[in-house]
């Protein structure tokens, strides 16, 4: 079955498909497919290698989920539980995301200072895409502006590729050390409210104002302390994500070797 996971098979099936409104790769075409059959011992070796990588990826995904749950629990304990937004304790105030963040997209007219080139960009989708868009520098919170992942929030700590339908929330100069707190506001509260979009019918979407006007509660000392603690956790999550990207690349290389 691993043979059919190869992108080469996807291209083969597409080439041999027929139909106009709906393409079909029929049973006879599949039965006529010629593929190399290595020895059973080599087949088992390949499967074991692939499954070893898959198990590691799954363990990493579980670790990421647990770390994100920990960050969310700490945020709720400090900024949600027992906090009445209409009667805030002394030293607290209400604010908006736009007060602390610059919100940009990949459009050239908005980001003239960003570098242009052919880069892999992030669109809040699990799959990578490529486009002549722009690279920006983190830390930042990326929010999908439309489509099936509308409202989804992801943290990026270094350089990232910005797609024009993705919003990047970059901390303003005086609030860089609060980025981890701002990310949690967006991930936990904004995403909960806007996942799936606030506008549109067939294609849901959000606009810049939905993000910039989103309310938060703020206490300078507590927000800085929280950000300092959570930053280490978010950085570790980023390392695990990068490891999974490399493991996935290894899986692709292993599948590619099956055709040789």
């Amino acid at each position: 079955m691993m043979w059919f996971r190869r992108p080469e098979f996807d291209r083969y099936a597409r080439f041999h498909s027929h139909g106009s409104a709906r393409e079909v790769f029929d049973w006879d075409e599949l039965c006529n497919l010629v593929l190399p059959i290595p020895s059973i011992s080599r087949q088992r070796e390949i499967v074991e290698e692939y499954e070893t990588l898959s198990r590691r990826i799954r363990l990493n995904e579980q670790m990421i989920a647990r770390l994100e749950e920990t960050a969310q629990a700490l945020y709720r304990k400090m900024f949600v539980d027992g906090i009445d937004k209409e009667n805030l304790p002394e030293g607290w105030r209400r604010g908006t995301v736009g007060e602390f963040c610059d919100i940009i997209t990949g459009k050239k007219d908005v980001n003239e200072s960003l570098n242009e080139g052919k880069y892999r960009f992030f669109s809040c989708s699990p799959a990578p895409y490529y486009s002549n868009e722009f690279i920006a520098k983190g830390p930042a919170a990326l929010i999908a502006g439309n489509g099936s992942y509308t409202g989804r929030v992801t943290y990026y700590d270094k350089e990232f590729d910005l797609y024009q339908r993705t919003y990047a929330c970059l901390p303003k100069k005086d609030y860089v050390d609060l980025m981890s707190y701002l990310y949690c506001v967006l991930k936990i509260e904004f995403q909960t409210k806007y996942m799936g979009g606030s506008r549109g019918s067939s294609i849901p979407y959000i606009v810049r104002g939905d993000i910039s006007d989103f309310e938060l509660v703020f206490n300078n000392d507590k927000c800085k302390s929280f950000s300092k603690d959570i930053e280490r956790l978010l950085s570790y999550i980023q390392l695990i994500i990068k490891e999974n990207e490399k493991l996935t690349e290894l899986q692709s290389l292993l599948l590619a070797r099956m055709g040789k």
Side-chain angles (χ1 to χ4, degrees), residues 228-242:
K228 186 177 180 180
D229 292 337
I230 297 299
E231 183 178 1
R232 292 190 289 267
L233 187 151
L234 294 179
S235 295
Y236 185 47
I237 290 176
Q238 289 292 299
L239 289 175
I240 300 175
I241 290 173
K242 290 180 176 63

Side-chain angles (χ1 to χ4, degrees), residues 158-190:
K158 295 183 178 156
E159 276 193 348
F160 59 89
D161 311 305
L162 186 58
Y163 179 46
Q164 67 177 11
R165 291 191 295 272
T166 299
Y167 295 101
C169 298
L170 301 168
K172 294 181 178 179
K173 183 177 179 181
D174 294 337
Y175 301 114
V176 174
D177 55 352
L178 296 177
M179 190 59 231
S180 297
Y181 159 73
L182 296 169
Y183 163 72
C184 286
V185 170
L186 294 165
K187 179 69 174 180
I188 298 166
E189 300 199 49
F190 181 88

Side-chain angles (χ1 to χ4, degrees), residues 205-224:
Y205 67 95
I206 56 175
V207 298
R208 192 191 308 266
D210 294 326
I211 305 170
S212 61
D213 297 338
F214 193 78
E215 288 194 347
L216 52 80
V217 294
F218 180 76
N219 176 288
N220 189 62
D221 292 338
K222 289 186 179 296
C223 289
K224 283 187 175 180

Side-chain angles (χ1 to χ4, degrees), residues 97-120:
V97 171
E99 178 184 345
F100 300 93
C101 292
D102 291 318
I103 302 165
I104 64 174
T105 68
K107 293 181 180 178
K108 185 178 292 188
D109 58 347
V110 177
N111 301 290
E112 294 179 354
S113 63
L114 299 180
N115 297 323
E116 184 176 2
K118 189 171 183 179
Y119 301 111
R120 178 181 184 274

Side-chain angles (χ1 to χ4, degrees), residues 145-146 150 194 196-210:
N146 68 357
T150 299
Y194 285 102
S198 63
R199 297 173 176 81
S201 53
S202 58
I203 302 178
Y205 67 95
I206 56 175
V207 298
R208 192 191 308 266
D210 294 326

